[in-house]
Amino acid sequence: MRMNRLVRRFLITILAIAGTLAIGTVGFTVIDHYPPFDAFYMTLTTMTTVGYGEIHPLSRAGRIFNSFLIMFGVTTILIAIGAMTQTIIEVELGDRLHQRRNKRMIDKLKNHFIVCGFGRVGRGAAAELLHSGVPFVVVDQNPERTERAMLEGMLAVAADATRDDTLRQAGIEHARGLVAALATDADNLFVLLSAKGLNPGLYVAVRAAEEGAEEKMRRAGANSVFAPYALTGHRLAQALLRPHVVQFLDFTTQDIGQDITIEQVSVAADSEMVSKTIRDMQLGRDLGVIVMAIRKRDGQMIFNPPADTAIRGGDFLIVMGRQESLRTLEALLAGRSLPRTG
């Protein structure tokens, strides 16, 4: 928006100068029959106050016209110089102020996510994080990409994500997770090693392009590794073989405007729901939430848990429902008391 305003101001200034030159050229041509080029040159020297004198003698009417042209032309030039100076100052100061404000906001981030790379994969990850409303920062070496991220309302740093100082600038020590979506597996591996070295407890999801890179990423400490090409091929085949399954997965993982999503909700040790069974909690009746799976604190995953399955502190419930209901469930399982209604 700021750039559009500056461009508009520049165009108005150019049009004002061009209009004044055109009026002067036509005036000298009509009033004193100057040749077109001489009329243009006379107008230009008048506007710029060079003071070479009259190219051809001016009549009384020509001098009256030239008097008004001097006042109007010089005023136009002065306004143009002032507007261009103001534009340059606004661009320089605006960029610096924006960078400082961006840095201050990044410095305040806690428990946030870092997206390294703003290509096709990185943009998709950033868009999902933005939709979820969680704090995150984008890191990309390409200034045009970071500018695009900031125009979309994201915090961004234009720097090399493989450098430790860049990760520190993005708040790696206080981050919750990191997405490595750079162009090459080598760069992603480098980011992974650097990130784990700076924050060993960081959850890192890595993009792997080449076959065989997935296992190397996991050995290097990646918590999740995704191969976009393999996943796309698998999804295309699934769309042919099991179209209704794919439709259901799209329903639960994409924003389709029905406010329904799948979420993981942690169970706090002091929650009043601890030791209760799925049947006792009556989540379907009271909240309209479906418990699809339980990830026990020992890592065991129970799909479609029976109604008599009891939950424990440290478990994660994989649930599906409306976002408002999921927030209510999250508050219950976190041990926070809900406000009374009615």
Side-chain angles (χ1 to χ4, degrees):
M1 185 178 296
R2 177 170 59 90
M3 188 57 65
N4 291 337
R5 185 175 68 252
L6 297 179
V7 171
R8 185 166 59 249
R9 183 186 301 168
F10 178 77
L11 290 176
I12 292 174
T13 302
I14 294 298
L15 288 175
I17 294 175
T20 305
L21 284 171
I23 292 172
T25 301
V26 172
F28 285 123
T29 302
V30 172
I31 296 174
D32 279 327
H33 308 291
Y34 271 37
F37 180 78
D38 289 351
F40 170 79
Y41 186 75
M42 182 68 181
T43 304
L44 186 62
T45 57
T46 300
M47 290 177 59
T48 55
T49 66
V50 172
Y52 285 155
E54 300 173 0
I55 300 177
H56 305 291
L58 289 174
S59 63
R60 181 180 180 85
R63 290 182 177 178
I64 294 174
F65 171 77
N66 196 31
S67 299
F68 285 102
L69 181 64
I70 290 172
M71 292 185 290
F72 184 74
V74 171
T75 302
T76 301
I77 291 295
L78 292 176
I79 292 176
I81 293 174
M84 293 304 297
T85 302
Q86 182 181 3
T87 299
I88 294 172
I89 293 174
E90 285 186 8
V91 169
E92 292 294 329
L93 292 182
D95 288 343
R96 292 185 181 181
L97 291 175
H98 184 72
Q99 290 173 2
R100 288 184 180 180
R101 183 169 61 251
N102 195 54
K103 185 178 184 303
R104 285 197 302 268
M105 294 177 68
I106 293 174
D107 291 340
K108 294 179 181 178
L109 291 178
K110 304 289 183 183
N111 201 33
H112 61 289
F113 297 94
I114 301 172
V115 178
C116 297
F118 201 64
R120 288 177 294 180
V121 176
R123 285 197 299 270
E128 182 63 26
L129 293 174
L130 184 65
H131 174 72
S132 300
V134 297
F136 70 97
V137 57
V138 172
V139 179
D140 196 290
Q141 198 169 5
N142 188 330
E144 294 181 358
R145 289 182 176 180
T146 54
E147 180 69 20
R148 176 177 177 178
M150 287 187 285
L151 289 175
E152 294 178 10
M154 306 173 188
L155 294 175
V157 175
D160 185 358
T162 62
R163 297 177 60 88
D164 287 357
D165 55 350
T166 298
L167 295 177
R168 290 193 182 96
Q169 185 181 353
I172 188 74
E173 293 90 348
H174 309 292
R176 175 181 171 188
L178 180 143
V179 173
L182 298 179
T184 67
D185 289 343
D187 286 342
N188 287 326
L189 181 59
F190 205 95
V191 169
L192 168 62
L193 294 173
S194 299
K196 284 291 187 178
L198 295 171
N199 186 349
L202 189 71
Y203 191 100
V204 180
V206 184
R207 169 188 181 269
E210 299 178 5
E211 295 183 8
E214 182 174 351
E215 183 59 30
K216 295 179 182 178
M217 298 290 188
R218 293 191 186 279
R219 288 203 304 266
N223 300 94
S224 297
V225 182
F226 296 91
Y229 302 118
L231 287 174
T232 301
H234 175 76
R235 198 64 176 273
L236 290 172
Q238 290 291 324
L240 296 177
L241 300 173
R242 303 173 185 86
H244 301 305
V245 174
V246 173
Q247 184 180 8
F248 173 76
L249 293 175
D250 290 340
F251 173 83
T252 57
T253 58
Q254 296 182 8
D255 179 17
I256 58 175
Q258 299 189 27
D259 195 32
I260 296 176
T261 184
I262 291 181
E263 188 58 85
Q264 62 177 39
V265 184
S266 62
V267 182
D270 59 348
S271 171
E272 63 184 23
M273 295 296 178
V274 170
S275 300
K276 289 188 177 182
T277 64
I278 302 295
R279 181 186 295 109
D280 294 336
M281 291 190 294
Q282 294 292 337
L283 298 180
R285 184 194 65 185
D286 297 339
L287 298 178
V289 173
I290 300 173
V291 180
M292 305 179 67
I294 300 177
R295 185 189 184 278
K296 307 300 288 184
R297 57 185 175 184
D298 60 2
Q300 178 189 7
M301 183 72 75
I302 303 175
F303 293 97
N304 190 23
D308 59 355
T309 303
I311 64 172
R312 307 293 180 189
D315 290 348
F316 281 88
L317 301 187
I318 312 301
V319 293
M320 182 174 69
R322 298 190 178 278
Q323 294 184 7
E324 182 179 356
S325 299
L326 296 182
R327 285 194 293 268
T328 302
L329 176 60
E330 184 179 13
L332 281 171
L333 297 179
R336 300 193 296 270
S337 59
L338 295 176
R340 296 183 181 272
T341 58

